[in-house]
Amino acid sequence: MIGFLTGLFVTMKTGFRRPVTAQYPDPEKRIKVENRFMGFPSLTWDYDVEEPYCTGCMVCVRECPTECMTAKMKDNPLFSEGKSRRKKIIDEFEINLGRCILCGICVEVCNFDAIEMSHEHELSKRVRNGNRFGLQQLLKLGIKFQSNTNWQPKQPEKNSGVPVKKVDEE
Amino acid sequence: MEINKTINSDNVDLMINMGPQHPSTHGVFRLLLNIDGERIIDVKPHIGYLHRGSEKLCENERYAQVVTLFDRLDYVANLNMELGFCLAVESLMELDIPDRASYIRVILCELNRIASHLLFYGTYGLDVGAMTPVLYAFREREKIQGFFESITGARMMHNYFRIGGIKEELPDDFNNRLSLLLDEVSQGIEECDMLLSKNEMFLARTKNVGIISASDAVDFGVSGPNLRASGIARDIRVSKPYSIYDRFDYGIPVASSGDCWDRYYVRLEEIRQSIKIIKQAMSQMEDGPILAKVRRIARPPKGEIYFRTESPRGDFGVYLVSDGSDKPYRVKVRAPSFANLQSLQYLLKGAYIADAVTILGSIDIIMGEVDR
Ligand code: SF4
Ligand code: SF4
């Protein structure tokens, strides 16, 4: 009987405590994700020269454990015009988010600060293959992430696309 | 149909198929019970519903990528799985791990052990018919998961340990948050303990049910809390210390009778010991590097190794064969849940059908690890 009553006492105590439940779809009452939260991978946008950071070097494609990404590079038109430092730029990029396991390896191996784990984590789509994200969608995710978190590249000097500096060096 | 033939003998009264979608099987696990009235006379477990071929998949991934696969073996104690694999590769490469990385690993692994045992506490309450404990357990577990999220970026599939260290430095508010978390969790544990452990109905369901003697447990290869509940104080962290576990002072909870209540209480007691370890680790931890000097793509020398660690479920072993390339030649996992499950047939024979779920729950299997 005593064990039963102590249990009841614990339950009663709960009545005087703030509720710990969060209400998921409600934007105010849901749990906020942490800063380091790894949602879907997204491509970042270089505002200085108005192009993506990604050069299509394919390192992330090779290192991805689930082989869910493809990338293709092209010559950068802005480079020939002298507006950017990137010789090559990404042409097509696709991540199958339905297959991605959110491991963050692609972010770790990228040398150009071009890919980041965004805070986006809701996957359901109305169409089949709606989770195959192309370059534009990934950039959209990235831009949203950049503006929400005030993202800065980890190696700003090395990865900036602004060509002025290169002229100085020469 | 075929299965019926193999198990059917003339004196069978009734055969019950339990699972694979039964909620108390913690995954997809199927049991065929032959019952005579209320007694179970024979049982046949069927596993393999969650087989993903992890061991074979490892052969096609580089060492850094394999860590993501190990996350998915025991999916409630992910960091302990990662630790087992990383330590195996590191000892094959004879790497020295920086102290700080080891301390962070231990802290996170012990937190993970707490989270795993809390999950057991909650679901075990459900198994025996108590609805409330799971809410208390998940409240505490939720805090730990949220804490993991702030460090590793994920709540469950962390991919945080690396060959030679860890992925990134801890966030600035780590110490404050951790001590706050420990206070809350230890308070929560006491509440959980008060709520269920001495409850008369719970005692009636679990005391003297599903008894396994020490010698039988050893014969079946049972390990971890299940073995310690039978009275054998064997814990790899103490008997063969790996990483830095020899630097802490903590006890190994042991019970004597080996029944369901003992298996339950040993786990609850282990949570308290884990909190003790974390507190010591916190005070001993110093600044320093978090990654040993390794090349980005690990290439262990030719050779093989078997490395044992103590996961929340028991003796977790990784057997690794390397041919000197950047991918493992063979990976074999000794999953504690798998070995513990072998004792189920023995435990269930002669038990009442109402106790089947109680006994199955008390062994605390995770199907992801059993089927791999
Ligand atoms: S995201 Fe980074 S690693 Fe991947 S292709 Fe672009 S630049 Fe290369
Ligand atoms: S997060 Fe992992 S699985 Fe997803 S795209 Fe990046 S490397 Fe591939």
Side-chain angles (χ1 to χ4, degrees):
Chain A
M1 197 61 192
I2 299 196
F4 184 72
L5 287 178
T6 30
L8 214 56
F9 171 68
V10 174
T11 322
M12 297 235 301
K13 251 189 357 194
T14 319
F16 304 100
R17 203 174 36 202
R18 272 195 304 141
V20 288
T21 36
Q23 285 168 10
Y24 164 62
D26 192 324
E28 252 89 72
K29 291 181 189 159
R30 63 199 272 182
I31 298 173
K32 298 268 176 308
V33 295
E34 305 279 346
N35 279 342
R36 284 192 183 178
F37 179 75
M38 297 197 290
F40 301 133
S42 64
L43 294 178
T44 50
W45 185 258
D46 189 349
Y47 282 102
D48 297 339
V49 282
E50 296 297 332
E51 65 178 16
Y53 274 97
C54 178
T55 57
C57 69
M58 301 267 289
V59 168
C60 57
V61 177
R62 277 199 301 272
E63 293 292 332
C64 174
T66 55
E67 297 171 4
C68 65
M69 0 165 75
T70 50
K72 208 170 121 194
M73 66 162 67
K74 65 173 181 198
D75 289 334
N76 189 0
L78 288 181
F79 177 75
S80 42
E81 291 167 26
K83 287 184 191 155
S84 164
R85 228 160 79 187
R86 297 188 182 88
K87 272 193 193 135
K88 302 279 183 187
I89 197 85
I90 188 75
D91 185 17
E92 287 165 23
F93 201 101
E94 190 197 90
I95 304 184
N96 185 350
L97 293 183
R99 198 171 163 160
C100 168
I101 55 173
L102 311 180
C103 63
I105 287 183
C106 47
V107 178
E108 223 181 317
V109 295
C110 179
N111 293 319
F112 300 95
D113 288 331
I115 193 163
E116 261 313 319
M117 301 306 268
S118 70
H119 285 175
E120 209 66 36
H121 56 87
E122 281 139 335
L123 194 66
S124 48
K125 294 282 169 339
R126 283 181 188 276
V127 287
R128 195 164 175 221
N129 278 342
N131 283 320
R132 288 177 165 266
F133 269 34
L135 180 62
Q136 295 311 321
Q137 282 166 297
L138 288 169
L139 282 171
K140 226 167 99 187
L141 271 186
I143 289 170
K144 190 174 158 207
F145 173 73
Q146 275 170 285
S147 63
N148 282 353
T149 57
N150 196 15
W151 177 86
Q152 296 299 333
K154 286 176 203 103
Q155 299 164 294
E157 285 97 54
K158 178 170 158 279
N159 290 332
S160 150
V162 186
V164 191
K165 211 170 163 212
K166 202 172 174 196
V167 177
D168 284 352
E169 280 165 13
E170 278 165 5
Chain B
M1 270 325 217
E2 273 182 7
I3 295 163
N4 281 5
K5 266 183 224 153
T6 53
I7 197 170
N8 213 352
S9 53
D10 298 334
N11 56 357
V12 165
D13 291 71
L14 184 62
M15 200 170 70
I16 292 187
N17 181 32
M18 182 178 150
Q21 276 90 17
H22 196 282
S24 75
T25 52
H26 304 273
V28 273
F29 173 57
R30 180 172 171 222
L31 268 177
L32 280 180
L33 303 168
N34 266 353
I35 57 167
D36 175 12
E38 285 279 301
R39 293 247 176 218
I40 299 167
I41 46 177
D42 195 17
V43 12
K44 258 220 150 77
H46 287 262
I47 61 168
Y49 289 94
L50 207 57
H51 178 65
R52 295 152 296 177
S54 300
E55 288 175 1
K56 186 71 189 167
L57 273 177
C58 291
E59 294 167 21
N60 291 323
E61 306 274 14
R62 280 182 216 103
Y63 284 93
Q65 296 170 329
V66 172
V67 178
T68 63
L69 290 170
F70 267 70
D71 262 336
R72 285 156 177 82
L73 287 180
D74 180 348
Y75 39 71
V76 297
N78 326 68
L79 286 165
N80 286 282
M81 300 289 114
E82 285 180 25
L83 181 73
F85 178 74
C86 289
L87 285 176
V89 179
E90 282 153 12
S91 53
L92 193 59
M93 294 170 81
E94 289 166 5
L95 278 180
D96 281 331
I97 310 304
D99 260 9
R100 185 175 170 80
S102 297
Y103 276 110
I104 294 171
R105 280 176 174 189
V106 164
I107 290 177
L108 293 181
C109 279
E110 291 306 315
L111 273 177
N112 213 178
R113 192 184 307 273
I114 297 174
S116 165
H117 285 339
L118 276 172
L119 184 102
F120 164 82
Y121 169 85
T123 51
Y124 194 52
L126 277 186
D127 284 348
V128 296
M131 184 66 206
T132 319
V134 69
L135 302 172
Y136 285 78
F138 268 63
R139 190 189 66 204
E140 302 308 325
R141 183 167 176 265
E142 176 59 41
K143 291 173 193 155
I144 300 179
Q145 304 286 60
F147 185 63
F148 280 154
E149 190 186 309
S150 75
I151 298 167
T152 67
R155 296 164 57 83
M156 287 183 84
M157 305 303 168
H158 309 285
N159 188 22
Y160 188 63
F161 293 172
R162 291 287 176 272
I163 314 294
I166 54 169
K167 178 178 159 191
E168 57 186 324
E169 186 48 78
L170 298 170
D172 298 333
D173 57 353
F174 175 80
N175 274 334
N176 296 340
R177 269 188 86 165
L178 182 58
S179 30
L180 204 70
L181 176 80
L182 283 183
D183 289 346
E184 285 175 355
V185 168
S186 33
Q187 212 181 351
I189 303 302
E190 299 315 321
E191 253 180 29
C192 288
D193 194 4
M194 271 164 73
L195 187 64
L196 191 62
S197 303
K198 291 284 183 312
N199 186 307
E200 280 80 12
M201 282 177 272
F202 181 70
L203 286 174
R205 288 296 308 270
T206 53
K207 272 270 180 206
N208 295 324
V209 170
I211 297 176
I212 187 163
S213 71
S215 62
D216 281 339
V218 172
D219 286 352
F220 277 113
V222 171
S223 57
N226 294 339
L227 181 67
R228 297 194 277 276
S230 293
I232 298 182
R234 197 172 294 163
D235 188 318
I236 318 277
R237 285 177 295 173
V238 175
S239 61
K240 197 167 175 292
Y242 54 91
S243 196
I244 49 164
Y245 272 106
D246 46 358
R247 299 188 197 169
F248 309 116
D249 168 33
Y250 57 100
I252 299 298
V254 183
S256 54
S257 61
D259 57 10
C260 286
W261 194 83
D262 279 354
R263 284 197 279 278
Y264 157 84
Y265 205 70
V266 162
R267 291 199 170 85
L268 215 56
E269 202 56 52
E270 244 175 52
I271 297 180
R272 300 198 176 105
Q273 298 302 330
S274 289
I275 293 177
K276 223 166 135 186
I277 298 179
I278 297 171
K279 282 194 174 139
Q280 291 171 38
M282 259 175 88
S283 59
Q284 291 177 19
M285 191 161 76
E286 280 161 12
D287 284 351
I290 52 165
L291 200 62
K293 286 195 179 60
V294 273
R295 301 205 354 234
R296 187 134 106 181
I297 295 178
R299 283 176 205 274
K302 229 173 169 165
E304 57 182 47
I305 191 155
Y306 181 70
F307 202 92
R308 298 161 74 190
T309 52
E310 181 80 19
S311 95
R313 260 149 273 282
D315 179 354
F316 175 73
V318 179
Y319 176 62
L320 185 79
V321 184
S322 158
D323 57 358
S325 72
D326 56 354
K327 292 172 185 169
Y329 180 76
R330 174 82 169 98
V331 178
K332 166 85 181 83
V333 172
R334 191 258 183 217
S337 291
F338 181 75
N340 292 350
L341 192 58
Q342 307 308 316
S343 63
L344 186 71
Q345 227 163 347
Y346 168 88
L347 286 171
L348 281 185
K349 250 178 223 172
Y352 284 114
I353 181 123
D355 291 336
V357 172
T358 317
I359 294 171
L360 177 61
S362 75
I363 304 178
D364 190 24
I365 49 166
I366 292 292
M367 290 319 284
E369 196 185 34
V370 176
D371 295 338
R372 297 193 283 282

